[in-house]
């Protein structure tokens, strides 16, 4: 996962549902197809939410990690 | 002659198969639809429909909300800014104060003048601290996400609310129009 290089970093730390999902759905449109978006959030419900968001939108959840309350997700824009 | 008939049948069958595949493709490429009814006009109850609507839109879904009875206040140009939470008849009010856990404020104090404003201010404080958008801000996000906003025609008549009093983008609709929309929805919720 260390080799994952993101094309855009979206900081959603400190905001709760629904804001991370709303912001990532806007941000994903600003990168090219195939590019990678990195989203950081402190929302404790973000893992199941991001799994659902990628399942519903078809974008690819490449990896995720949690460190001291910050969840980081790597998503590849697929379309 | 036989080969002509066979060719003709083959061609017709191929055309028909192609047409059906096209139809299937169109059907499967249609976005998931969600139909919500927002029937409450309090500050706390304005959040669930707008949070679900903006989230569903972010999942790529098509979303419509039918604002009916007091829920129509959420679509009202002025009232959307003054939604309140009621302390009377609300057993969750007043909430326990963390710093003073021994303090039990009786619910009946909610009838005192000004308590609705106090309760509403308190909730607005929580909302601000959680960095949650305000209801007008969430409504702006919903509009930007193309959420369809249906204003219940009966409620407009009942409460004497004109189209001009509703926020831009609100569409006056009756129950039949909303049910027709909801018939095509995978998810329907009454809030």
């Amino acid at each position: 996962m260390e080799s994952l290089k993101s094309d855009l970093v979206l900081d959603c730390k400190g905001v709760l549902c629904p804001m991370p999902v709303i912001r990532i759905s806007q941000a994903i449109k600003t990168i090219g197809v195939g590019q990678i978006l990195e989203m950081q959030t402190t929302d404790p419900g973000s893992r199941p939410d991001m799994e659902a968001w990628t399942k519903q939108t078809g974008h690819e959840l490449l990896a995720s990690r949690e460190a001291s309350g910050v969840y980081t997700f790597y998503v590849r824009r697929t379309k | 002659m036989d080969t002509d008939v066979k060719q003709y049948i083959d061609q017709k069958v191929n055309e028909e198969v192609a047409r059906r595949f096209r139809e299937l493709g169109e059907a499967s490429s249609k976005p998931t639809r969600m139909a919500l009814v927002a029937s409450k006009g309090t500050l706390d109850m304005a959040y669930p429909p707008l949070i679900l609507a903006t989230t569903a839109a972010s999942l790529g879904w098509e979303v419509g909300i039918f604002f009916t009875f007091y829920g129509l206040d959420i679509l009202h140009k002025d009232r959307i800014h003054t939604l309140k939470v009621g302390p009377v008849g609300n057993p969750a009010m007043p909430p326990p104060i963390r710093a003073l856990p021994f303090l039990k404020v009786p619910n009946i104090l909610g009838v005192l003048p000004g308590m609705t404003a106090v309760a509403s201010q308190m909730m607005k404080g929580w909302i601000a601290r959680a960095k949650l958008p305000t209801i007008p801000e969430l409504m702006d996000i919903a509009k930007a996400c193309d959420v369809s906003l249906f204003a219940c025609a009966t409620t407009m008549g009942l409460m004497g609310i004109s189209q001009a009093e509703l926020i831009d983008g609100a569409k006056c609709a009756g129950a039949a129009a909303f049910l027709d929309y909801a018939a095509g929805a995978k998810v329907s919720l009454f809030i």
Side-chain angles (χ1 to χ4, degrees):
Chain A
M1 196 163 79
E2 300 307 320
S3 62
L4 273 178
K5 270 183 89 178
S6 49
D7 298 285
L8 181 69
V9 178
L10 178 66
D11 183 0
C12 291
K13 295 195 286 288
V15 293
L16 295 169
C17 161
M19 297 319 291
V21 164
I22 291 174
R23 287 197 192 158
I24 198 170
S25 67
Q26 290 166 347
I28 198 92
K29 292 175 196 154
T30 67
I31 62 170
V33 172
Q35 287 190 312
I36 296 172
L37 176 68
E38 176 182 341
M39 196 268 274
Q40 299 161 352
T41 175
T42 47
D43 178 2
S46 57
R47 198 186 296 270
D49 271 0
M50 285 306 298
E51 283 167 5
W53 180 76
T54 48
K55 182 181 152 208
Q56 289 288 330
T57 57
H59 298 301
E60 189 184 353
L61 183 59
L62 299 169
S64 65
R65 63 157 179 257
E66 192 258 324
S68 48
V70 178
Y71 301 83
T72 306
F73 300 92
Y74 294 88
V75 176
R76 191 200 308 277
R77 180 176 176 178
T78 56
K79 57 187 177 184
Chain B
M1 186 64 187
D2 260 5
T3 51
D4 279 356
V5 170
K6 196 174 172 303
Q7 253 181 7
Y8 177 79
I9 290 171
D10 276 353
Q11 190 199 334
K12 283 289 164 199
V13 165
N14 286 342
E15 278 173 15
E16 181 60 16
V17 167
R19 191 186 65 80
R20 290 195 187 176
F21 267 105
R22 255 197 323 274
E23 266 184 14
L24 267 178
E26 278 162 17
S28 64
S29 66
K30 261 192 179 173
T32 303
R33 180 184 283 183
M34 178 168 83
L36 300 178
V37 177
S39 69
K40 311 277 196 301
T42 56
L43 180 60
D44 52 330
M45 291 307 285
Y47 274 94
L50 290 178
I51 287 178
L52 290 172
T54 51
T55 303
S58 299
L59 299 181
W61 295 10
E62 186 182 80
V63 188
I65 314 174
F66 186 66
F67 294 87
T68 188
F69 282 80
Y70 291 114
L72 193 63
D73 281 0
I74 308 168
L75 264 195
H76 194 282
K77 266 179 192 163
D78 303 323
R79 293 181 200 165
I80 188 174
H81 297 283
T82 57
L83 300 178
K84 293 178 178 66
V85 61
V88 181
N90 183 348
M93 282 281 177
I97 302 164
R98 275 208 193 140
L100 309 163
F102 48 84
L103 189 70
K104 299 269 190 283
V105 184
N107 183 252
I108 196 166
L109 289 187
V111 301
L112 291 177
M115 289 309 261
T116 300
V118 168
S120 304
Q121 269 323 110
M122 196 164 55
M123 177 157 281
K124 283 181 179 171
W126 298 341
I127 289 162
R129 214 173 327 138
K131 292 187 189 160
L132 211 60
T134 63
I135 289 298
E137 284 167 352
L138 211 45
M139 180 60 89
D140 284 342
I141 297 172
K143 282 188 349 191
C145 300
D146 288 327
V147 171
S148 297
L149 307 167
F150 302 107
C152 169
T154 299
T155 309
M156 289 173 70
L158 204 68
M159 300 191 178
I161 294 167
S162 67
Q163 178 76 44
E165 290 173 79
L166 299 178
I167 60 173
D168 297 334
K171 289 183 285 264
C172 177
F178 175 71
L179 288 175
D180 181 51
Y181 181 87
K186 256 192 185 162
V187 179
S188 301
L189 298 169
F190 183 91
I191 301 168

